[in-house]
Amino acid sequence: MSQSPMENENMKNHTTKITWRFFFLFITSIMLGSHTTHAITQNEEKTISPITAGKEPGERMIKIINGVEYAFRWCPPGEFIMGSSKTEEGRHDNEKSHRVTITKGFWILETEVTQEMWQNIITRNPSFHIGSHLPVESVTWENCQHFLLILRQYDLNAQLPTEAQWEYACRAGTTTPFSFGNTLNGDKANCDGNFPYGTSTKGDYLKKTTSVKSYFPNAWGIFDMHGNVREWCADWYNKNYYFLSSSTDPTGPSSGTARVVRGGSWSIDAKHCRSADRNYISPELCYYNLGFRFILSLEPISTQIPFQNVSTSEKREPGERMVKTINGVEYAFRWCPPGSFMMGSPHKEKGRFDDEIWHMVTLTKGFWILETEVTQEMWENIMKKPQSKQGKFSVSGIGPKHPVYNVSWNDCQEFCYKLHSLGLKVQLPTEAQWEYACRAGTTTSLNSGKNITSIGSPCAHLDEVGWYKNNSEYIVLPVAQKKPNAWGLYDMHGNAREWCQDIYKSYPTQHIYDPINDSSETTLLVRPHPLSRPHPQLSPERVIRGGSCGNFVHFCRSATRSKRTPDTQDWSYGFRVILFTSP
């Protein structure tokens, strides 16, 4: 969605739209301090006390992240009147006055996120106005989610506030247009003082952001709610939501095209800085006067990324099952919807390798993926030759429901070609598709939502979802014996390793869309036409993902990458395929 009419009126010439995306690189590993000041470094064990409720409104709590102080204020459970009265000057018709109950208290950052905080987590500073104590700005709603996701990896349940939480914290018990009273002309908040509110006296117009805490806080010790930069909220926007919403802990509409923006900024008139003023912006846009602050919830931590709306005609649920029968053999596929995820691994992940750069990926097209590895029954039915018995264990792992192994990337291409000739358009998944399907919404090292607990010794969490060297005796075993992930996919963490379509390359640091590192005619993504018979390749190296029955624990994580030349056959190498709908 493009910029809202209301925002268009207020942004003026100072809020030129920025449409490029910012790079996200997790450079420094962050560990959290407890309530007392304690800077934790990358190599220390994580000993973080749980976040507990405050006692009094405005109680202050400090967390130290890599030497940077984050100060929070306690917002207790309570009731307030949200919106504005019909007599309030400058009100809009989307500000219906209604009583709201907040049943759970929360901690809110007492300032907007500063550039120092931002660069402590994410290297590149997107801001137009530069200064460590200035609020970060020119960030999209999606950028904010990246930042918060990294914090959640370190036991801080950091979230954007809901619109109701934001206004509750802003008002701090007041019912006036501003938390400090009835007037504003740039004296009590950084806004365009040429257009005052509640007074005829014009004030300052600084034409830029100012250091946080430059103006007095509200009664709960929270700064800059009425000026400096506007602030993203978690909610989707709906003009009529106040007429329809629950009076208890409202969280906004279930879907939409724009996200809620609240608060005042340096570039707008004082009337648009009121506690009740509502605005909305498409989540992929960013402006020189738009930043954010976040809350700490007492609820269990979620490490999943809120999905963005991705244009698609597909109306299927993740993990929906579809069965195709070829030559009397069933192929069961699971649906992977369009969406975004964090690919790679954070620096703190046990067993991590340097090539697992953590970055955001969006897949704009859904796909069907085989719920198991290709079995020997499938292979022999199509290829008309038995499972190869060459390799380290020539008499082990033979059976119709065992994964096929000792196959090269070239062999996989031949299988896909023959299956395609029988009417099933399949190919190897891209590396991004493979990891997206494996994770099924998780960001932990295993797709069960759990992390590995060891590297070389047995791991109970891995025992649940995969066959590896400590529980398989180096033998591939029948598929679908371990627990599937949330989308119904088996053996992504161990049995046979799996070839991907991509040429092995280093990951980027920025958010990318539909990545594929391949230009050969064997890929339907590049050439969505009937395939010609593939020509065997000797180079370059192709990606292999997933764990195997011969791997140590840390090689079986969702993020682990490997590479081999396309002619390599190995006793632990197998594959699964994806079924593409029409491009």
Side-chain angles (χ1 to χ4, degrees):
M1 176 180 172
S2 61
Q3 187 179 356
S4 70
M6 189 186 306
E7 192 70 16
N8 209 14
E9 174 186 349
N10 300 324
M11 289 293 185
K12 303 181 181 180
N13 296 327
H14 304 289
T15 54
T16 304
K17 192 190 315 180
I18 304 173
T19 56
W20 46 273
R21 303 255 175 189
F22 301 109
F23 295 119
F24 295 90
L25 178 61
F26 186 58
I27 294 298
T28 51
S29 178
I30 55 171
M31 302 297 282
L32 304 179
S34 63
H35 184 72
T36 57
T37 302
H38 176 54
I40 304 179
T41 64
Q42 179 178 345
N43 296 322
E44 289 185 79
E45 290 295 323
K46 187 171 61 176
T47 54
I48 304 167
S49 59
I51 303 295
T52 57
K55 296 178 180 179
E56 298 295 329
E59 180 180 332
R60 197 168 190 252
M61 176 184 70
I62 295 176
K63 291 290 180 180
I64 305 294
I65 302 173
N66 276 359
V68 176
E69 181 179 291
Y70 290 68
F72 298 89
R73 297 290 182 164
W74 175 246
C75 299
E79 291 186 352
F80 77 111
I81 301 299
M82 188 173 183
S84 60
S85 70
K86 293 181 179 179
T87 60
E88 185 167 300
E89 179 187 347
R91 82 185 295 267
H92 303 286
D93 59 4
N94 63 356
E95 299 174 13
K96 180 181 180 293
S97 179
H98 61 294
R99 184 173 295 276
V100 169
T101 299
I102 303 294
T103 63
K104 300 179 179 69
F106 56 93
W107 295 93
I108 190 167
L109 197 64
E110 71 176 14
T111 69
E112 292 145 337
V113 171
T114 65
Q115 293 171 37
E116 180 182 36
M117 296 173 187
W118 179 269
Q119 291 187 278
N120 185 45
I121 304 299
I122 296 172
T123 305
R124 186 180 176 90
N125 184 0
S127 304
F128 180 77
H129 305 99
I130 301 299
S132 60
H133 297 295
L134 297 178
V136 68
E137 26 87 353
S138 303
V139 290
T140 68
W141 187 90
E142 189 178 73
N143 297 159
C144 301
Q145 296 300 331
H146 300 175
F147 178 92
L148 299 175
L149 180 66
I150 295 173
L151 290 184
R152 289 198 291 274
Q153 291 290 320
Y154 291 85
D155 296 340
L156 272 182
N157 194 358
Q159 306 169 8
L160 288 178
T162 65
E163 186 176 17
Q165 287 171 327
W166 189 95
E167 187 170 329
Y168 180 61
C170 174
R171 288 190 177 279
T174 64
T175 58
T176 48
F178 307 98
S179 62
F180 44 74
N182 296 300
T183 64
L184 175 63
N185 66 353
D187 55 339
K188 302 180 184 70
N190 183 11
C191 67
D192 186 349
N194 290 319
F195 299 91
Y197 182 95
T199 177
S200 59
T201 304
K202 294 184 178 181
D204 293 333
Y205 176 32
L206 303 179
K207 302 182 180 180
K208 62 181 180 180
T209 58
T210 52
S211 295
V212 296
K213 300 187 183 182
S214 294
Y215 300 83
F216 286 110
N218 68 11
W220 291 354
I222 305 169
F223 296 86
D224 296 320
M225 302 292 270
H226 296 291
N228 223 7
V229 292
R230 309 209 81 173
E231 301 178 16
W232 287 108
C233 290
D235 307 37
W236 290 109
Y237 176 81
N238 183 317
K239 177 180 178 180
N240 298 316
Y241 182 67
Y242 283 8
F243 295 89
L244 308 170
S245 64
S246 168
S247 61
T248 302
D249 299 320
T251 56
S254 59
S255 62
T257 56
R259 295 285 182 175
V260 171
V261 171
R262 297 298 298 264
S265 89
W266 60 270
S267 67
I268 63 176
D269 305 353
K271 72 177 180 179
H272 295 298
C273 300
R274 294 172 299 112
S275 300
D277 188 81
R278 307 179 69 203
N279 217 309
Y280 57 97
I281 296 176
S282 187
E284 74 274 7
L285 299 182
C286 51
Y287 298 91
Y288 296 154
N289 70 346
L290 179 57
F292 71 110
R293 76 179 73 216
F294 62 91
I295 67 167
L296 298 183
S297 171
L298 303 183
E299 298 296 306
I301 294 176
S302 169
T303 55
Q304 295 194 15
I305 305 168
F307 277 14
Q308 293 299 315
N309 278 4
V310 179
S311 178
T312 177
S313 59
E314 302 289 354
K315 302 297 181 183
R316 301 186 176 99
E317 293 298 317
E320 181 179 327
R321 195 169 190 258
M322 177 181 67
V323 176
K324 296 284 187 178
T325 301
I326 303 293
N327 290 348
V329 176
E330 285 191 354
Y331 292 71
F333 294 87
R334 297 287 184 165
W335 176 247
C336 299
S340 300
F341 75 110
M342 293 300 291
M343 189 171 182
S345 63
H347 277 211
K348 67 153 192 174
E349 186 166 299
K350 186 183 291 292
R352 175 182 198 272
F353 296 100
D354 290 341
D355 63 352
E356 299 169 15
I357 296 169
W358 217 27
H359 63 293
M360 189 77 166
V361 171
T362 294
L363 300 179
T364 62
K365 296 181 176 66
F367 57 94
W368 296 94
I369 188 168
L370 200 63
E371 71 177 14
T372 68
E373 294 150 331
V374 171
T375 64
Q376 293 171 31
E377 179 183 37
M378 297 172 187
W379 177 265
E380 293 175 12
N381 183 262
I382 300 301
M383 302 299 284
K384 307 304 181 184
K385 61 182 179 181
Q387 160 72 55
S388 170
K389 294 184 180 181
Q390 298 177 353
K392 186 173 182 179
F393 296 97
S394 60
V395 296
S396 300
I398 301 298
K401 300 301 181 184
H402 289 64
V404 67
Y405 59 95
N406 278 334
V407 292
S408 68
W409 185 89
N410 291 327
D411 294 332
C412 299
Q413 300 302 323
E414 182 71 16
F415 178 88
C416 291
Y417 166 74
K418 290 187 174 183
L419 204 52
H420 183 272
S421 67
L422 295 174
L424 202 60
K425 186 187 293 186
V426 300
Q427 69 174 62
L428 294 177
T430 67
E431 185 175 18
Q433 288 170 331
W434 190 96
E435 186 169 329
Y436 178 64
C438 174
R439 290 190 176 280
T442 63
T443 58
T444 45
S445 61
L446 301 175
N447 61 21
S448 59
K450 300 178 182 179
N451 290 302
I452 63 170
T453 56
S454 65
I455 293 178
S457 57
C459 174
H461 292 169
L462 182 54
D463 283 333
E464 296 173 353
V465 293
W467 297 108
Y468 64 112
K469 83 177 202 63
N470 291 97
N471 67 4
S472 70
E473 298 183 354
Y474 293 92
I475 301 171
V476 293
L477 294 156
V479 298
Q481 301 300 301
K482 294 293 186 177
K483 291 181 181 179
N485 70 8
W487 293 351
L489 303 175
Y490 295 91
D491 301 320
M492 305 290 274
H493 289 298
N495 211 2
R497 304 207 78 182
E498 301 180 18
W499 286 103
C500 291
Q501 185 65 31
D502 301 46
I503 296 167
Y504 178 90
K505 291 184 179 180
S506 297
Y507 284 161
T509 58
Q510 74 270 28
H511 181 184
I512 54 176
Y513 290 77
D514 300 316
I516 177 170
N517 294 319
D518 184 31
S519 59
S520 72
E521 292 189 349
T522 59
T523 172
L524 297 174
L525 288 176
V526 175
R527 187 173 182 265
H529 304 294
L531 298 176
S532 57
R533 181 177 294 276
H535 299 291
Q537 298 183 21
L538 300 178
S539 64
E541 292 175 310
R542 297 284 176 165
V543 172
I544 299 174
R545 297 299 299 264
S548 84
C549 58
N551 282 145
F552 287 101
V553 173
H554 62 305
F555 285 99
C556 299
R557 296 171 301 112
S558 298
T560 304
R561 313 176 69 200
S562 190
K563 58 184 177 179
R564 291 293 185 274
T565 56
D567 61 333
T568 302
Q569 290 181 319
D570 186 273
W571 66 275
S572 66
Y573 291 179
F575 68 109
R576 74 179 74 211
V577 294
I578 62 171
L579 174 65
F580 250 82
T581 56
S582 297

